[in-house]
Amino acid sequence: MARATVDSVDGLGACLASVVAALGPLPAAPQSVTVVTDLARRPFTPNPVAVLRIAPPSHPALSPAAGRGWLTCRVAGGASVTGTPLAALDAGAVAAFARRAAGAGVDDFAICAAGAPARPGPERAAAAAIAEVLPRASLSLSHEIGSAGLRERENATAANAALGAWAESLVATAFRALTACGITAPLYFTRDDGGVVSAEYFRRHPVIGTAPAACSAARGAALRAGVRRAVVVDAAADAVRCVPLIDGEPERAEPGPGPLGLRMDLGGPRMALLSHEPGKIDPAAALALVERERERLPDADVVWTGGSVPTLHASGAVIDGVDPRSDAAFFAARADCSVEFEQVVVAAGRAELDALLETASGHALSRVVAAGATPGSARVDRIAHTPVSYLPAGVHRVRIRATGLPSGRQEP
């Protein structure tokens, strides 16, 4: 195995070229290349977005992207949480909104329909209507991105549309840099939970990978230390982050602010954060943060990672000659492709629920292959279903995670 740790330089292309040069001649051509980078590290200007909500009327304070200044529209249509149609889609209003967006020079659309996790048809029909008016439109559909909650799902979809140019630039820059270095292996980007997706999937769904570095570093540090239950302390230049891992997996964060400050629920890792000015860590405050997290998981190991570890703790600074700054890359090089599929289903009994779970699992497997997994390696490794509160028995919120080996990578 070849390893190299280099200081950061401006620009993703320059960073990749620096790493490849530091690695020197490789014993074999890379099977795949994975990039770990945060939105905060790559300055960007959000795309102007046209947000279409397909749902009954609501209070003005709950209007699409309230207070954002984006082009918005609400049209009749959508479904209830259980998938019962609420009204026919007003396709004429959708087409009129597409023409208005075209006139304003906006061609990035976020489409969110009430009940889409149970009934995605209205979103697909609206996308077709927009594409007929504006063939060049870039379309983000909420049932492909977000959770069951309308506002969180709509926010995630709008952020996804706004991040399009950022993702396009990252993918194009990475391809150019790697090609210039003679590397043509499949390219992947990390998700916020540490899994990976193909460059093309990331380009279409960038909102799932805006802050993956901390989770990738935490999972890599735990892997390096050989532990699966841990509080991993990522001592970075701008913050100290504590990421709890249980059975090797990060705890799922509650819904909260995501990219662009919008509230969403995308399954990123729960972490405790202490921000600081670069190079000005307060050791006492940082160690207090670590102790609070240890109280939550008293039997967990504490593992240190990040470039500022020596400032806080000697343990973990270098283990067996491995620089902890490489932990994120260490994990990303081994991570599987992963996607999470969420749906609301209605089942009269256990047999019907099992059949619906099997169908949903098939959708998740198809999606992970679309995200870059080798078809023969795709598998479902987590199924969770819970009754939806305040609704009749038989309504379940289903979350399924599917994983698989990135294309070109061999089993270890």
Side-chain angles (χ1 to χ4, degrees):
M1 176 187 297
R3 291 178 180 266
T5 303
V6 298
D7 291 334
S8 294
V9 294
D10 290 337
L12 175 61
C15 282
L16 288 172
S18 178
V19 169
V20 172
L23 286 170
L26 298 174
Q31 296 174 354
S32 63
V33 175
T34 302
V35 172
V36 185
T37 189
D38 288 348
L39 179 65
R41 297 173 182 268
R42 308 291 164 196
F44 79 107
T45 300
N47 297 1
V49 176
V51 183
L52 175 67
R53 179 186 291 179
I54 307 167
S58 62
H59 189 279
L62 300 177
S63 62
R68 284 277 154 181
W70 286 333
L71 200 62
T72 64
C73 181
R74 185 205 61 81
V75 303
S80 69
V81 172
T82 60
T84 303
L86 298 174
L89 176 69
D90 189 342
V94 173
F97 181 55
R99 289 190 291 271
R100 179 156 66 97
V106 178
D107 54 15
D108 290 286
F109 287 79
I111 303 171
C112 182
R119 189 181 182 87
E123 290 189 351
R124 293 173 178 150
I130 292 170
E132 192 169 322
V133 173
L134 196 59
R136 69 176 185 276
S138 176
L139 306 171
S140 295
L141 278 60
S142 80
H143 74 275
E144 297 179 349
I145 295 169
S147 58
L150 177 64
R151 293 301 301 282
E152 289 84 0
R153 179 162 41 88
E154 184 175 70
N155 286 342
T157 308
N160 192 76
L163 293 170
W166 171 73
E168 289 275 6
S169 175
L170 282 184
V171 170
T173 299
F175 270 127
R176 283 197 302 269
L178 292 170
T179 301
C181 295
I183 295 175
T184 59
L187 176 63
Y188 291 82
F189 285 79
T190 43
R191 296 171 50 103
D192 289 350
D193 64 1
V196 305
V197 294
S198 69
E200 177 59 23
Y201 192 90
F202 172 77
R203 188 187 64 78
R204 297 196 313 272
H205 305 99
V207 75
I208 66 174
T210 62
C215 187
S216 295
R219 298 182 74 171
L223 186 64
R224 167 172 57 86
V227 299
R228 295 184 60 77
R229 185 176 180 87
V231 173
V232 181
V233 187
D234 180 10
D238 61 343
V240 175
R241 300 172 177 88
C242 291
V243 182
L245 300 180
I246 299 174
D247 197 25
E249 296 281 345
E251 287 189 72
R252 186 185 180 99
E254 295 294 323
L260 310 182
L262 295 167
R263 178 181 171 84
M264 55 189 71
D265 180 14
L266 290 176
R270 177 195 172 277
M271 67 176 72
L273 172 69
L274 176 66
S275 298
H276 56 78
E277 293 183 32
K280 295 185 178 180
I281 295 178
D282 180 345
L287 294 174
L289 178 72
V290 175
E291 287 305 312
R292 286 198 297 272
E293 288 302 299
R294 290 189 67 186
E295 290 175 2
R296 295 183 64 254
L297 292 175
D299 58 339
D301 293 285
V302 176
V303 182
W304 298 79
T305 187
S308 298
V309 168
T311 304
L312 296 177
H313 202 280
S315 172
V318 175
I319 295 178
D320 295 333
V322 178
D323 189 323
R325 291 179 296 171
S326 68
D327 284 334
F330 180 65
F331 180 79
R334 292 159 176 74
D336 284 340
C337 282
S338 72
V339 298
E340 189 171 271
F341 178 76
E342 185 164 327
Q343 190 174 28
V344 175
V345 301
V346 182
R350 184 69 213 192
E352 186 176 3
L353 176 60
D354 287 343
L356 291 170
L357 291 176
E358 184 174 354
T359 299
S361 295
H363 290 316
L365 290 170
S366 296
R367 189 169 291 187
V368 78
V369 171
T374 303
S377 71
R379 61 193 181 276
V380 170
D381 65 4
R382 181 187 297 167
I383 299 178
H385 58 89
T386 55
V388 179
S389 302
Y390 310 113
L391 288 177
V395 182
H396 298 264
R397 181 179 182 179
V398 176
R399 278 188 180 137
I400 299 176
R401 188 177 70 178
T403 60
L405 285 176
S407 177
R409 188 187 302 171
Q410 303 299 315
E411 288 279 3

